[in-house]
Amino acid sequence: AGRVLTFGETMGLITGGRIGSLAHVSEAHVGIGGAETNVAVSLSRLGVPVTWVGRVGDDALGKRVVREVRGEGVDVRPTVDPDAPTGLMLKELTGPGTSRVYYYRAGSAGSRFTAADVPAGLVEDSALIHLTGITPLLSDTAREACRLLVRRAKDAGVRVSVDVNYRSALAPVDVAAKVLGELVAEADVVFGSPEELAYVVPGGAELSASPDELAAALDPSGEREIVVKRGGDGASAYAGGAVVHAPGHRVEVVDTVGAGDAFVAGYLSGQVRGWSVADKLARANACGAVLCTVPGDWEAAPTPEDLEVFLGEGGDPVR
Ligand code: ATP
């Protein structure tokens, strides 16, 4: 498989040790989280060579991010920023299988990402670059970095993958729609929920638009791949004027956060191997489902062997 390059912000993640408000829960777990490293770890588990670039602070959480992601076999190229801390995310367990996230990332090292953080030649040597709509909303420098890196990829004939991943904490819808719409317009492969895709359709779309309508509006000429994530209902992929639907696997959901990232990694693992759209979507859908069955945003990212067991058991949870 060709190498995937991804970049963005990864933060420390503190999760309440039990269901309840962080105003009262006393015990907690320490980990890391970031959409792009979630994807990178998942790709690595699936045997795809992958590089992650990002900025961390000169602090304990920065060391943890680098060590943990590197420990998963991802080629990690960090810039250690002496002037800003590693960002932080708090996860409050609000009920069985539900949670709420609070960000402490304004001014963080990761938000100070620039294109210069990506070593020369790295984009050009990749088969595909993957970015999310989170990065361009972190700061002006990060937005400019995304623009430059996408340009470098396109000039070198490297494919561009974008997961819209709209985070309302980072920007209001109208601001995000413009920035993310520009990014999506450059992508060869686009991932999003129906709602996210409606935001980034040029000129906007009705929030009630169907996946068929959204894909047609985003890619009238059928030159790109539009992948619609629909949670427990599964996903659909539009490519070359055809569509493939994958119904959701029936699983016992423990924690859905990160399912989208595992899903994207599953899809991209087939992308860099030249798989059919149907095979890519099937793998993506299985990866997303497995991730829902275990707590944690990325820890349960499946290997091909895990997927075989999962599918062999009729798609029921393996753990
Ligand atoms: P996140 O941002 O929390 O990682 P997302 O909103 O990007 O997630 P979802 O649509 O929730 O993405 O999930 C992505 C994919 O994971 C779905 O398309 C599906 O394949 C799988 N998935 C998610 N939730 C479930 C579920 N409850 N049961 C089975 N599969 C699921």
Side-chain angles (χ1 to χ4, degrees):
R3 179 166 290 276
V4 172
L5 169 65
T6 186
F7 48 86
E9 176 172 35
T10 292
M11 295 161 282
L13 168 60
I14 294 179
T15 307
R18 59 176 175 80
I19 293 169
S21 164
L22 289 175
H24 302 292
V25 165
S26 52
E27 65 275 29
H29 301 288
V30 184
I32 62 155
E36 300 83 9
T37 50
N38 294 347
V39 171
V41 168
S42 255
L43 280 168
S44 180
R45 297 260 175 99
L46 294 168
V48 174
V50 52
T51 299
W52 175 76
V53 179
R55 252 176 203 248
V56 294
D58 186 9
D59 50 26
L61 289 176
K63 287 193 184 75
R64 192 179 184 110
V65 166
V66 171
R67 192 199 63 237
E68 195 94 85
V69 180
R70 216 167 246 166
E72 292 292 335
V74 176
D75 171 39
V76 175
R77 311 286 189 99
T79 297
V80 177
D81 189 327
D83 300 319
T86 303
L88 182 63
M89 196 164 45
L90 302 184
K91 195 170 177 186
E92 184 170 68
L93 304 183
T94 49
T98 58
S99 57
R100 188 177 301 147
V101 171
Y102 304 90
Y103 297 105
Y104 297 77
R105 74 196 310 182
S108 66
S111 72
R112 288 153 56 105
F113 177 70
T114 74
D117 293 332
V118 180
L122 216 53
V123 171
E124 293 74 11
D125 287 343
S126 304
L128 179 145
I129 68 167
H130 172 71
L131 53 163
T132 75
I134 295 170
T135 313
L137 296 181
L138 291 178
S139 67
D140 292 345
T141 63
R143 177 159 59 250
E144 188 53 21
C146 290
R147 251 199 285 265
L148 286 169
L149 292 165
V150 166
R151 178 59 29 221
R152 263 164 69 179
K154 298 197 81 114
D155 287 348
V158 173
R159 313 287 278 174
V160 175
S161 160
V162 171
D163 184 354
V164 178
N165 236 329
Y166 170 58
R167 294 284 185 265
S168 57
L170 294 175
V173 167
D174 54 328
V175 174
K178 186 171 180 298
V179 172
L180 303 185
E182 284 170 14
L183 186 62
V184 160
E186 301 286 325
D188 299 294
V189 190
V190 178
F191 299 92
S193 65
E195 193 180 29
E196 289 172 334
L197 295 177
Y199 294 148
V200 297
V201 163
E206 295 292 331
L207 285 183
S208 59
S210 69
D212 287 7
E213 290 167 333
L214 292 167
L218 282 169
D219 186 30
S221 55
E223 284 164 3
R224 318 196 286 152
E225 293 184 44
I226 310 292
V227 187
V228 186
K229 298 187 270 189
R230 289 200 313 265
D233 294 334
S236 305
Y238 297 80
V243 57
V244 181
H245 298 291
H249 292 281
R250 259 183 301 134
V251 293
E252 222 168 277
V253 174
V254 174
D255 173 12
T256 61
V257 178
D261 300 326
F263 175 95
V264 165
Y267 199 91
L268 295 180
S269 72
Q271 190 79 18
V272 294
R273 292 177 167 127
W275 290 7
S276 70
V277 172
D279 287 348
K280 288 184 284 197
L281 192 63
R283 171 140 292 192
N285 200 36
C287 287
V290 168
L291 207 95
C292 294
T293 64
V294 186
D297 296 4
W298 55 269
E299 288 84 345
T303 63
E305 294 72 33
D306 293 334
L307 290 171
E308 231 169 84
V309 173
F310 172 73
L311 296 170
E313 292 179 353
D316 288 336
V318 288
R319 296 175 174 90

